[in-house]
Amino acid sequence: QVQLVESGGGLVQAGGSLRLSCAASGRTFSSNPMGWLRQAPGKEREFVAAINRSGGMTYYADSVKGRFTISRDNAKNMVYLQMNSLKPEDTAVYYCATSTRYLASDITHFDSWGQGTQVTVSS
């Protein structure tokens, strides 16, 4: 089982940038595809981005494509989400999650996540 702790959230103006980090513990980290999910107030949790085990392949939700970049450093047990050109609609709690499928975009294929980090984008 991988334990996940997200950080890096905060308040930013529209058009700004944030970099989220996810620290993972557990010797099986590099064997897990990973992803980022988010949940806005009053809405269901949704897929944001996914990355394969090596970090060589990524996949994004249409709403963030071209603005967000997911990456990982297996040597450091870290996953990152670089978020640029942020919009008010990106406001949500962001969760790092382990995936059971290669480049999964269905949230039912994510089986564990951390406590989340709040991202608030003001207009």
Side-chain angles (χ1 to χ4, degrees), residues 46 56 98:
E46 65 176 7
T98 58

PDB file of all heavy atoms in Angstrom, residues 46 56 98:
ATOM      1  N   GLU A  46     -13.379  14.318  -9.989  1.00  0.00           N
ATOM      2  CA  GLU A  46     -13.157  14.108 -11.412  1.00  0.00           C
ATOM      3  C   GLU A  46     -11.680  13.914 -11.720  1.00  0.00           C
ATOM      4  O   GLU A  46     -10.802  14.352 -10.983  1.00  0.00           O
ATOM      5  CB  GLU A  46     -13.692  15.291 -12.229  1.00  0.00           C
ATOM      6  CG  GLU A  46     -12.986  16.598 -11.982  1.00  0.00           C
ATOM      7  CD  GLU A  46     -13.497  17.719 -12.884  1.00  0.00           C
ATOM      8  OE1 GLU A  46     -14.495  17.510 -13.619  1.00  0.00           O
ATOM      9  OE2 GLU A  46     -12.884  18.808 -12.868  1.00  0.00           O
ATOM     10  N   GLY A  56       6.965   8.212 -18.735  1.00  0.00           N
ATOM     11  CA  GLY A  56       7.125   8.541 -20.133  1.00  0.00           C
ATOM     12  C   GLY A  56       5.853   8.821 -20.895  1.00  0.00           C
ATOM     13  O   GLY A  56       5.882   9.363 -22.003  1.00  0.00           O
ATOM     14  N   THR A  98      -3.231   6.645  -6.603  1.00  0.00           N
ATOM     15  CA  THR A  98      -2.649   5.502  -7.298  1.00  0.00           C
ATOM     16  C   THR A  98      -3.703   4.892  -8.219  1.00  0.00           C
ATOM     17  O   THR A  98      -4.892   4.897  -7.906  1.00  0.00           O
ATOM     18  CB  THR A  98      -2.166   4.430  -6.308  1.00  0.00           C
ATOM     19  OG1 THR A  98      -3.264   4.001  -5.495  1.00  0.00           O
ATOM     20  CG2 THR A  98      -1.069   4.962  -5.408  1.00  0.00           C
TER      21      THR A  98
END
